[in-house]
């Protein structure tokens, strides 16, 4: 999250009034992240998060917003987009949960309670694994389609732009891993992977918890704006690569990995094809975020509040996933 577009109190207040959500009391920009403009909004009716989309279009956004509503209706705790009142005029190209603020497509969602856990234990990882599996199963009857816009096609397109910024060893790793992932994606085992709408960015800072460290209560997943239709295994791999690695080294944390995988499989057991390809998808997840962080680090956009992530972290994770593939019992 960052602030690329400045939103005035007048503009935020007008949106609240249009949605019947009371009077504006406070508006504060949110630091962190890289893609969209985000504000915390306090009104007389509650606490909200306002997002202005800097890259996604009015045509693309219904997939993400209705996915969140679909998950909420299936018992998965996520921020729910706030709709225009029944009978309100809906501009062409929008729908009832998609709005326009400062000329940008926008959404207003309820603010989740709790806070992110940046130093998770096994209990946090188990809660994430359980809820991720439930979210995957809930998407089986979600009928909107949107490709993962940061999938293999984007990796192939973006790699040439970041390669000039790498040293010889890094460039060799990037080329070799990209070739490997193209080979995997062309295989029959990959084609057999179960698929559906996925979060694709379920990092520690995109999950909220209440409760205690020993008995955490997962209160919600948020920031679905990298979501798309992809393999559920890729989504699981992205999640494992953040929740169950040692951050300084990028190495696998075995207890947290086991906690997350066991909880996930208690709800949705992995297929044989998924078990075979999990090591490859762990590499794919690391490659995806290495490339995107290289892109954001070396080819940044201007923002009022923006701190790009260090791309070397996912380089370390990728090297660890190549050198020490995860073995399932």
């Amino acid at each position: 999250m960052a602030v690329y577009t400045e939103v005035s109190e007048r503009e935020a207040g007008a949106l609240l009034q249009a949605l019947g959500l009371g009077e504006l009391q406070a508006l504060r920009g949110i630091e962190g992240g890289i893609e969209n403009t985000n504000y915390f909004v306090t009104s007389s009716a509650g606490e909200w998060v306002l997002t202005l989309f800097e890259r996604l279009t009015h045509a693309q956004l219904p997939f993400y917003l209705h996915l969140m509503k679909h998950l909420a209706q299936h018992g998965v705790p996520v921020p729910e987009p706030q709709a225009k009142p029944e009978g309100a005029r809906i501009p062409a190209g929008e729908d009832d949960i998609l709005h326009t603020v400062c000329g940008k497509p926008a959404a207003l969602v309820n603010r989740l309670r709790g806070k992110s856990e940046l130093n998770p234990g096994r209990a946090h990882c188990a809660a994430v694994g359980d809820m991720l599996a439930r979210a995957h199963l809930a998407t089986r009857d979600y009928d909107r389609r949107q490709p993962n816009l940061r999938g293999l096609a984007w990796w192939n397109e973006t790699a040439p732009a970041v390669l000039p910024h790498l040293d010889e060893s890094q460039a060799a790793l990037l080329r070799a891993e990209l070739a490997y992932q193209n080979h995997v994606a062309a295989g029959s085992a990959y084609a057999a992977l179960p698929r559906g709408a996925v979060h694709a960015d379920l990092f520690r800072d995109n999950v909220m918890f209440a409760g205690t460290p020993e008995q955490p209560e997962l209160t919600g997943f948020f920031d679905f704006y990298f979501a798309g239709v992809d393999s559920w295994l890729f989504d699981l791999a992205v999640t494992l690569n953040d929740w169950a690695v040692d951050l300084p080294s990028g190495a696998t944390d075995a207890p947290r990995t086991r906690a997350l995988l066991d909880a996930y499989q208690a709800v949705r057991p992995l297929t044989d094809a998924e078990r075979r390809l999990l090591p490859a998808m762990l590499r794919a997840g690391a490659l995806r975020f290495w490339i995107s962080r290289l892109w954001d680090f070396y080819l940044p956009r201007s923002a009022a509040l923006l701190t790009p992530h260090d791309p070397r972290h996912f380089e370390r994770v990728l090297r660890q996933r190549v050198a020490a593939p995860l073995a399932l019992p």
Side-chain angles (χ1 to χ4, degrees):
M1 298 179 181
V3 173
Y4 300 97
T5 301
E6 298 287 346
V7 177
S8 70
E9 292 188 355
R10 178 184 61 81
E11 290 160 324
L15 177 63
L16 288 171
Q17 288 189 351
L19 300 181
L21 296 176
E23 298 294 324
L24 178 68
Q25 295 179 341
L27 179 69
R28 178 167 64 88
I30 305 175
E31 293 188 52
I34 52 173
E35 285 295 315
N36 301 312
T37 290
N38 293 274
Y39 284 86
F40 287 133
V41 178
T42 301
S43 81
S44 54
E47 299 283 339
W48 318 96
V49 175
L50 170 64
T51 298
L52 277 63
F53 300 96
E54 303 291 344
R55 291 184 175 179
L56 296 170
T57 67
H58 282 88
Q60 293 169 327
L61 279 162
F63 173 87
Y64 307 100
L65 299 178
H66 286 282
L67 173 60
M68 293 159 68
K69 184 171 283 292
H70 179 88
L71 290 172
Q73 292 171 345
H74 284 72
V76 179
V78 300
E80 187 168 0
Q82 301 302 296
K84 298 177 178 73
E86 187 175 349
R89 186 182 67 85
I90 298 177
E94 297 187 10
D95 66 14
D96 63 334
I97 56 177
L98 176 60
H99 318 296
T100 299
V101 176
C102 300
K104 303 284 181 69
L108 189 74
V109 302
N110 57 296
R111 184 175 176 181
L112 299 172
R113 61 187 177 89
K115 63 180 181 178
S116 295
E117 177 52 68
L118 302 183
N119 186 28
R122 284 177 288 181
H124 299 96
C125 291
V128 169
D130 172 270
M131 195 59 68
L132 181 61
R134 296 182 189 280
H136 287 165
L137 292 178
T139 66
R140 288 177 297 184
D141 62 347
Y142 184 62
D143 57 4
R144 292 176 183 258
R145 290 292 176 263
Q146 165 81 29
N148 178 0
L149 300 180
R150 290 293 179 93
L152 181 61
W154 187 83
W155 311 344
N156 285 318
E157 175 187 334
T158 306
V162 301
L163 277 168
H165 300 281
L166 306 183
D167 64 29
E168 184 177 343
S169 173
Q170 292 170 321
L173 175 64
L174 180 55
R175 291 191 182 99
E177 189 59 33
L178 194 56
Y180 173 72
Q181 293 300 332
N182 277 286
H183 172 74
V184 169
S188 58
Y190 181 83
L193 295 177
R195 294 174 179 273
V198 300
H199 186 285
D201 189 32
L202 196 63
F203 282 31
R204 303 176 192 195
D205 56 357
N206 286 335
V207 180
M208 300 290 272
F209 289 96
T212 66
E214 295 75 22
Q215 293 185 308
E217 176 195 357
L218 195 160
T219 58
F221 293 168
F222 65 99
D223 200 357
F224 278 80
Y225 304 116
F226 281 118
V229 173
D230 207 325
S231 71
W232 289 337
L233 187 67
F234 176 75
D235 204 23
L236 176 60
V238 166
T239 305
L240 284 165
N241 277 348
D242 185 65
W243 288 86
V245 299
D246 174 66
L247 293 182
S249 67
T252 299
D253 182 294
R256 282 186 278 145
T257 296
R258 178 50 52 200
L260 200 155
L261 279 174
D262 284 351
Y264 184 94
Q265 292 202 89
V267 177
R268 191 190 78 84
L270 297 178
T271 66
D272 289 343
E274 288 176 311
R275 294 174 65 84
R276 291 197 303 273
L277 283 184
L278 180 55
M281 289 300 98
L282 290 166
R283 290 169 58 170
L287 177 66
R288 176 264 189 260
F289 283 95
W290 187 30
I291 291 175
S292 64
R293 289 190 176 187
L294 287 167
W295 171 267
D296 292 320
F297 190 84
Y298 290 110
L299 301 165
R301 294 173 293 157
S302 60
L305 297 169
L306 177 60
T307 304
H309 295 293
D310 183 353
R312 292 173 297 180
H313 169 66
F314 274 104
E315 178 190 350
R316 292 191 292 269
V317 174
L318 177 57
R319 291 186 185 277
Q320 290 281 357
R321 294 304 194 189
V322 172
L326 181 66
L328 293 179

